[in-house]
Amino acid sequence: MSEIDQFASSLLEEAKRFLEKATETSEPDAEKAYLHAALLLAFCSLEAHVNSVADEIAVRPTTPVHSRGVLLEKRVELKKGEFVLHSSPQISRLVDRILLLHRLGSKSNVDGGWRARLMAATELRNMLTHPKSVPTLSAALVKKAVESVIDTLDQLYLAVYKTRFPAAHRDLNSNLSF
């Protein structure tokens, strides 16, 4: 397992552990902090896993340059009659990168129920990262969000690697004990 894959996995384990801690505490401020940490770390893990898969797919010689641009979040430009990657960033939506990975991995546009669940989880995360009012999170909502991250990764691994996401069988059970 590569260093980035280990890091991405550790972020997911931390998210799951903070969710466990949120349900173990009776102190409202601690519960809120644990829920915030669980939600944000789950999305950090998702981004890290997607970046790792994207980096791997982008170096394949069969990956078109425009797809490499989206996967690596680099601008594509026309130089001397040829499309080339530019060093400047071109940020793409996370769900678009995931859908592209599905398409490149399975040669079809797989858009299962994971996408709707991920979009709901993203809205929850956005309420915390881009607040317009004070967000109210519950353990049940954060649990669904973390589950959606795991399901999204599982479906991505099935599309690209034809195997299950390694941590999917553990569901929300963290292997950490802090």
Side-chain angles (χ1 to χ4, degrees):
M1 183 183 289
S2 73
E3 187 176 10
I4 188 62
D5 290 331
Q6 289 175 353
F7 179 65
S9 294
S10 71
L11 290 172
L12 183 57
E13 291 304 316
E14 291 170 17
K16 294 188 299 185
R17 181 61 186 136
F18 279 119
L19 181 57
E20 290 169 347
K21 289 186 79 64
T23 61
E24 293 167 359
T25 188
S26 59
E27 213 268 285
D29 288 339
E31 179 187 21
K32 183 170 40 172
Y34 291 143
L35 292 175
H36 291 171
L39 181 60
L40 294 177
L41 285 168
F43 272 89
C44 291
S45 174
L46 177 62
E47 292 265 2
H49 278 289
V50 169
N51 287 339
S52 177
V53 174
D55 287 350
E56 184 179 325
I57 300 298
V59 299
R60 293 180 180 174
T62 56
T63 303
V65 69
H66 283 87
S67 294
R68 282 197 312 269
V70 171
L71 295 175
L72 300 174
E73 296 187 302
K74 299 287 183 187
R75 194 165 53 109
V76 175
E77 61 183 34
L78 188 61
K79 278 195 175 180
K80 297 181 183 177
E82 179 178 2
F83 288 109
V84 295
L85 287 180
H86 191 273
S87 61
S88 64
Q90 178 72 41
I91 304 303
S92 299
R93 290 182 36 206
L94 178 63
V95 72
D96 290 334
R97 293 175 72 218
I98 295 170
L99 287 169
L100 178 59
L101 286 166
H102 272 268
R103 166 100 24 148
L104 293 171
S106 65
K107 306 294 185 231
S108 65
N109 190 10
V110 179
D111 188 11
W114 64 267
R115 185 177 180 197
R117 290 186 299 274
L118 181 62
M119 297 309 289
T122 301
E123 285 181 32
L124 187 65
R125 190 262 336 246
N126 287 347
M127 288 180 357
L128 186 59
T129 58
H130 310 288
K132 295 183 183 343
S133 61
V134 178
T136 303
L137 300 181
S138 68
L141 287 173
V142 174
K143 177 183 179 217
K144 282 184 180 181
V146 176
E147 287 172 335
S148 78
V149 165
I150 294 168
D151 185 42
T152 298
L153 289 169
D154 194 38
Q155 294 303 311
L156 178 61
Y157 270 61
L158 285 169
V160 173
Y161 301 119
K162 312 303 183 242
T163 187
R164 306 286 311 267
F165 175 60
H169 71 280
R170 286 195 310 273
D171 297 316
L172 293 178
N173 300 315
S174 172
N175 62 13
L176 301 175
S177 60
F178 63 83

